[in-house]
Amino acid sequence: GGNPKGRIGPAPTSAPRRPRTRKVTTMAGKKVNLLVIASEDRPELKHLEDLPAEVDVLGVGTAFDENQVDMAAAEIVLLDSVGVQKDQIQQVFRNLPNVKWLHSNMAGLDIIKFPEMLKAAGDGLVVTNSKGTYSRSLAEYALFAAKYFALNAPRLAEQKQNKEFIKFPVGELAEKTMGIVGFGDIGRATGVLAKAYGMRIVATRRNPALSADDPILDECFATGDLAAMVEQCDYVVVSTPLTPSTKHIVDASVLKAMKRSAVLINVGRGPCVDEAALVEALKSGEIRGAGLDVFEEEPLPRDSELWGLRNVLISPHCADQVDGWLDNSIRLFVDQMGKYLRDGAGGLANVVDVERGY
């Protein structure tokens, strides 16, 4: 059920709510109505207490009683999708005829890609996401995964287990080439860190001209030239969102084009990599290794061959779940609301194309 007109999220457990530092007046001089699709117990929702006074929260929940909540009055929707199913979002959205702006607290859009949402977006619904909130942590993971293989961390762990103090040569990242598949916010954040290590940075993006003057990039390729790009890479980082055109964008042919000494790192979406082809490439030595935070099926099935491969680093889709990650996503929404009240939908940042997926 929903939480109409109720307290927003659990009671704060630390300091009392800080006073508002600014008074924002809507252009129309009237209140705006917000509906929050979320599990009611999400602690990050406490930050909604900092919304401007003009915002009236109609309810918080994953299902709503239309006798208690005026669904037609909802102008804005905040989606906190942690623990919420796609069909629950779809069911609520069907009953929201007048929404003008929807904000998702995630960066990926696959959970809201359903027919009613696509139609609404085509009819003028503005959709924004929390792009940027997770970029730094995912970039750090990508560099960690690269260094994991440069240092031959599996061997280090084995020697410690066996109490063996045997020196062996290790690699460094400086002067190596990192290729980034999808040079959006996460991809660029990864490039910035890799550049600090002294790496050469190449990338693919749909429109290479957009990165023509980017000081981080040494070379930018069109998406269709992915195989040509990976030929020169020591590390390939997949950070592209999942769209129909990016499903299995890293397939057997791309893996075959990679150096035998190269490492694949996926911080984007699992289905962007053909996992069966990846397993074969890892088993045959076609590539050196893989650092994976995302998978085609999650949780990763216990019978997946990936678990047993020594040359695979596995993390359970947690690379972005750093301290405060969800708090930051809701604070971003509160900031966005200020822009919306001042300038309307035209003032919003992080506007995305639901159909494209980014």
Side-chain angles (χ1 to χ4, degrees), residues 130-318:
S130 294
K131 179 179 75 171
T133 307
Y134 314 104
S135 301
R136 177 72 188 213
S137 55
L138 292 174
E140 288 188 11
Y141 178 89
L143 271 296
F144 158 73
K147 196 63 182 175
Y148 175 92
F149 285 98
L151 288 174
N152 199 347
R155 178 170 174 177
L156 290 174
E158 287 167 6
Q159 290 194 179
K160 179 173 182 289
Q161 181 74 27
N162 299 329
K163 300 178 181 176
E164 295 174 339
F165 197 87
I166 304 169
K167 292 186 179 184
F168 61 90
V170 297
E172 61 180 351
L173 300 182
E175 298 184 13
K176 297 293 192 294
T177 296
M178 176 172 281
I180 299 169
V181 184
F183 199 67
D185 211 70
I186 296 166
R188 192 175 191 284
T190 302
V192 168
L193 288 190
K195 204 71 173 177
Y197 276 80
M199 299 185 80
R200 178 172 175 268
I201 313 299
V202 297
T204 62
R205 66 179 304 170
R206 222 165 52 88
N207 185 354
L210 294 175
S211 295
D213 300 318
D214 194 320
I216 294 301
L217 275 181
D218 292 281
E219 193 174 355
C220 193
F221 293 77
T223 305
D225 295 327
L226 175 58
M229 182 192 82
V230 301
E231 286 177 358
Q232 55 180 278
C233 297
D234 300 292
Y235 300 90
V236 175
V237 177
V238 182
S239 59
T240 183
L242 179 61
T243 71
S245 63
T246 63
K247 183 175 182 182
H248 287 186
I249 191 170
V250 176
D251 59 11
S253 66
V254 172
L255 292 164
K256 193 172 185 61
M258 289 173 63
K259 297 178 181 179
R260 292 181 72 86
S261 58
V263 172
L264 180 76
I265 300 163
N266 192 1
V267 294
R269 284 290 185 263
C272 294
V273 175
D274 182 340
E275 215 164 87
L278 175 61
V279 167
E280 289 309 308
L282 290 163
K283 284 164 61 178
S284 68
E286 199 164 77
I287 64 172
R288 180 182 177 188
L292 307 172
D293 186 54
V294 290
F295 305 88
E296 285 206 71
E297 184 183 341
E298 294 182 9
L300 182 64
R302 291 179 64 85
D303 62 359
S304 169
E305 288 189 76
L306 289 170
W307 289 113
L309 296 177
R310 182 179 180 275
N311 56 346
V312 179
L313 169 66
I314 290 176
S315 54
H317 202 155
C318 64

Side-chain angles (χ1 to χ4, degrees), residues 4-69:
K5 305 281 187 184
R7 173 176 50 75
I8 301 165
T13 55
S14 52
R17 169 185 161 192
R18 66 179 184 270
R20 292 193 187 95
T21 55
R22 66 168 186 240
K23 174 77 170 162
V24 182
T25 309
T26 67
M27 291 184 295
K30 63 179 178 62
K31 283 189 175 284
V32 294
N33 293 316
L34 167 68
L35 188 78
V36 182
I37 303 175
S39 299
E40 293 174 50
D41 60 351
R42 295 304 311 167
E44 63 273 9
L45 295 180
K46 67 180 180 286
H47 297 292
L48 295 181
E49 298 285 358
D50 295 324
L51 283 167
E54 292 84 356
V55 181
D56 191 7
V57 179
L58 298 176
V60 179
T62 55
F64 299 90
D65 181 344
E66 293 187 52
N67 294 318
Q68 295 184 47
V69 180

